[in-house]
Amino acid sequence: MKPKGYIHLYTGNGKGKTTAALGLALRAAGAGLQVFIAQFVKGMHYSELESLGRIPEINIRQYGLDCFIVNEPTEKDIQAARKGLEEVTDIIRHHRAGVVILDEVCIALHYRLFGLEEIISLLKIKPEDMEIVMTGRYAPVELYEYADLITEMKEVKHYYNKGIDARKGIEF
């Protein structure tokens, strides 16, 4: 009998949501599980792409374009996110990974790149033994009902507020 898989939600305004999800991905890959990471909103080249790309059990795909968070998302941003949602749905429906990470899915929901109902429908087709991890600020409270584990990252202090820019290998 395969062990039960759970749904995780990492949210809040603090740093570390994606980092926690990637740590779980490394652990799962080390145990021989196939991991699929869908990065919604993100389209920049982050250093984790280099290291995760060297691990055959981990497949990471980005479904973001330019950083629209300071503007409004364009139709192309919406299309990119929807393409990612379609690919993730296929992966979950056909059980092509043991762990699926929906990185920044809450941000994608916040900016209405797709609807909450679509994510809830996705969670409802999760195979019993699959682990799903959702990350991002602004998690809708409706997702709390579906999550088995909820971690809220709270910013207490951040050097960014002192004008420190993101650093390669640390923030990107």
Side-chain angles (χ1 to χ4, degrees), residues 19-144:
T19 303
L22 296 181
L24 189 146
L26 288 173
R27 179 176 290 149
L33 296 174
Q34 292 298 310
V35 179
F36 184 82
I37 304 170
Q39 289 193 316
F40 295 101
V41 180
K42 293 178 177 174
M44 293 174 41
H45 186 83
Y46 295 90
S47 297
E48 63 259 24
L49 297 175
E50 296 299 323
S51 53
L52 295 174
R54 296 180 183 137
I55 303 170
E57 291 84 4
I58 297 178
N59 183 3
I60 185 166
R61 299 278 311 267
Q62 291 186 318
Y63 302 105
L65 305 174
D66 295 328
C67 186
F68 64 78
I69 294 185
V70 293
N71 303 308
E72 288 295 315
T74 66
E75 186 58 36
K76 287 184 178 182
D77 292 314
I78 294 168
Q79 288 172 0
R82 295 207 63 75
K83 178 183 180 203
L85 188 59
E86 288 173 21
E87 289 184 12
V88 166
T89 300
D90 183 66
I91 287 162
I92 292 172
R93 181 174 285 121
H94 296 101
H95 207 297
R96 294 198 174 114
V99 176
V100 174
I101 298 174
L102 309 175
D103 188 36
E104 302 296 1
V105 71
C106 297
I107 293 291
L109 287 168
H110 179 76
Y111 282 98
R112 296 180 186 90
L113 300 181
F114 39 71
L116 177 60
E117 306 77 30
E118 293 172 284
I119 298 304
I120 290 171
S121 294
L122 189 65
L123 298 176
K124 287 180 176 180
I125 65 166
K126 177 187 94 56
E128 183 68 22
D129 62 333
M130 180 182 283
E131 207 81 11
I132 294 181
V133 179
M134 300 178 289
T135 75
R137 295 170 188 250
Y138 316 122
V141 293
E142 294 88 348
L143 286 182
Y144 286 34

